[in-house]
């Protein structure tokens, strides 16, 4: 990151380098002597959690600001959905049948990135979770269009490296799910949700809740695959039970193709945040 300093004080990086070159003595080997900001053991202490939260929020924010990225198009979706070329090895028949959404995600990301390139890669930048499946398709489409894309990875016990199509200097790694989800939505100009599992559902419902409660402006909220979403979620039952209002079902739209999604985003007009919650 650039460091446009406006200070006459010696900078922290130089002091860290100097501290690494001091004589080796019992005093300099002591953990207490390490510079606090260069002491990984200290930074990982439980009491430092508030500082780590702040750092994890700030680092991607500064990098995205320096790249002048003003808005993103977010792609949520399952890591287990294979590409059409790999559907024969899918774990279930349903996953094999959902493989066409990998291709729709790739094409959609390509279309959005072509639009992004016209803005100098500042608007409509594709953002995914940086993993396999639908996420990989989104980053691949952006790469094929000749643009950039963001990958917001998170450390998991079984997780692999980010997919190879994320723009390297826009690839981030998170410890805190909450901060990662903030970065998904802070610049979101559209949210597109493909079939997926627990993680996709978590991301989808959190974003819908923010829009429903007026904590976030309305943006195009597109669910790819009506059949999938109406099979796993009984939206009408929620309305009939009164736990959501009929107006809440207008916060999102079902789409089937990249072309349909791109057209909705292209035609979207200003939609301010709600100032009340219907039905309350």
């Amino acid at each position: 990151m650039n460091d446009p300093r406006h200070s006459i004080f010696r900078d922290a990086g130089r002091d860290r380098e100097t501290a690494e070159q001091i004589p080796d003595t019992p005093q300099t080997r002591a953990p207490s002597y390490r510079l606090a900001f260069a002491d990984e053991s200290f930074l990982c202490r439980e009491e430092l959690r508030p500082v780590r939260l702040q750092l994890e929020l700030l680092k991607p924010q500064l990098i995205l600001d320096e790249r002048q990225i003003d808005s993103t198009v977010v792609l949520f979706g399952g890591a287990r959905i294979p590409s059409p070329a790999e559907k024969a090895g899918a774990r279930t028949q349903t996953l094999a049948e959902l493989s066409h959404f990998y291709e729709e995600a790739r094409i959609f990301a390509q279309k959005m990135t072509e639009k992004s390139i016209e803005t100098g890669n500042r608007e409509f930048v594709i953002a995914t979770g940086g993993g396999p499946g639908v996420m990989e398709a989104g980053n691949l489409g952006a790469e094929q269009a000749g643009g950039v894309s963001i990958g917001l990875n998170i450390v998991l016990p079984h997780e692999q490296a980010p997919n190879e199509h994320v723009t390297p200097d826009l690839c981030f790694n998170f410890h805190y799910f909450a901060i990662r989800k903030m970065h998904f939505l802070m610049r979101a100009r559209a949210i597109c949700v493909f079939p997926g599992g627990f993680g996709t559902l978590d991301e989808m419902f959190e974003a819908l809740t923010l829009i429903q409660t007026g904590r976030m402006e309305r943006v195009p909220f597109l669910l790819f695959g009506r059949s999938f979403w109406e099979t796993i979620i009984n939206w009408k039952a929620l309305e009939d039970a009164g736990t959501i209002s009929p107006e809440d079902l207008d916060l999102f739209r079902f789409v089937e193709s990249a072309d349909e999604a791109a057209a909705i985003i292209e035609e979207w007009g200003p939609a301010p945040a709600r100032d009340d919650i219907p039905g309350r």
Side-chain angles (χ1 to χ4, degrees):
M1 293 185 295
N2 294 327
D3 182 18
R5 293 172 52 79
H6 300 286
S7 172
I8 61 173
F9 293 122
R10 182 179 168 92
D11 69 83
R14 289 178 61 196
D15 267 6
R16 178 173 181 167
E17 292 175 0
T18 300
E20 292 172 351
Q21 299 169 8
I22 57 178
D24 181 25
T25 70
Q27 290 76 22
T28 62
R29 286 196 299 271
S32 61
Y33 191 75
R34 298 173 195 153
L35 287 167
F37 61 82
D39 186 344
E40 292 184 6
S41 296
F42 174 68
L43 290 174
C44 288
R45 287 178 57 151
E46 183 175 356
E47 298 91 338
L48 270 290
R49 182 176 292 122
V51 175
R52 293 195 300 273
L53 284 161
Q54 184 178 16
L55 290 172
E56 199 152 280
L57 179 64
L58 190 58
K59 180 180 177 181
Q61 177 79 16
L62 291 175
I63 292 174
L64 293 173
D65 284 347
E66 288 167 3
R67 290 293 296 265
Q68 298 183 303
I69 292 177
D70 295 325
S71 71
T72 59
V73 175
V74 178
L75 269 64
F76 295 136
R80 305 183 189 194
I81 293 179
S83 69
E86 298 173 330
K87 69 177 183 178
R91 293 174 59 246
T92 67
Q93 180 59 34
T94 299
L95 282 174
E97 293 168 357
L98 291 172
S99 65
H100 73 280
F101 283 115
Y102 180 104
E103 185 65 3
E104 292 300 330
R106 184 192 67 80
I107 295 170
F108 173 73
Q110 196 169 36
K111 288 178 176 292
M112 289 295 99
T113 303
E114 290 168 356
K115 187 178 180 67
S116 177
I117 290 170
E118 295 175 359
T119 72
N121 292 310
R122 296 180 63 172
E123 305 279 357
F124 301 100
V125 177
I126 291 293
T128 81
V134 166
M135 296 173 279
E136 174 187 279
N139 297 120
L140 173 60
E143 182 182 60
Q144 291 175 333
V148 303
S149 68
I150 298 166
L152 304 178
N153 277 71
I154 191 159
V155 178
L156 299 174
H158 58 275
E159 196 58 85
Q160 69 299 310
N163 74 68
E164 63 183 5
H165 306 294
V166 180
T167 301
D169 60 352
L170 293 176
C171 190
F172 303 97
N173 201 15
F174 290 84
H175 173 67
Y176 297 105
F177 269 101
I179 302 300
R180 177 176 179 254
K181 285 191 281 190
M182 282 188 67
H183 277 294
F184 268 126
L185 300 179
M186 286 168 66
R187 290 173 164 81
R189 190 154 179 172
I191 298 170
C192 301
V193 190
F194 291 79
F198 286 167
T200 301
L201 291 168
D202 173 50
E203 291 157 347
M204 178 184 75
F205 278 119
E206 178 142 10
L208 271 178
T209 300
L210 288 170
I211 294 174
Q212 179 204 40
T213 56
R215 297 300 302 270
M216 176 178 168
E217 292 182 5
R218 287 196 61 180
V219 297
F221 204 113
L222 309 177
L223 306 188
F224 277 74
R226 177 189 287 268
S227 176
F228 174 84
W229 292 111
E230 291 189 337
T231 297
I232 67 166
I233 301 170
N234 192 333
W235 306 95
K236 190 66 168 61
L238 293 172
E239 178 188 351
D240 291 343
T243 54
I244 65 172
S245 67
E247 293 89 343
D248 291 334
L249 295 178
D250 294 330
L251 297 177
F252 59 88
R253 292 178 62 176
F254 296 110
V255 297
E256 302 298 328
S257 70
D259 287 340
E260 188 179 359
I264 291 172
I265 293 171
E266 185 68 32
E267 296 166 5
W268 187 265
R274 283 179 167 180
D275 55 10
D276 64 355
I277 302 178
R280 284 198 185 177

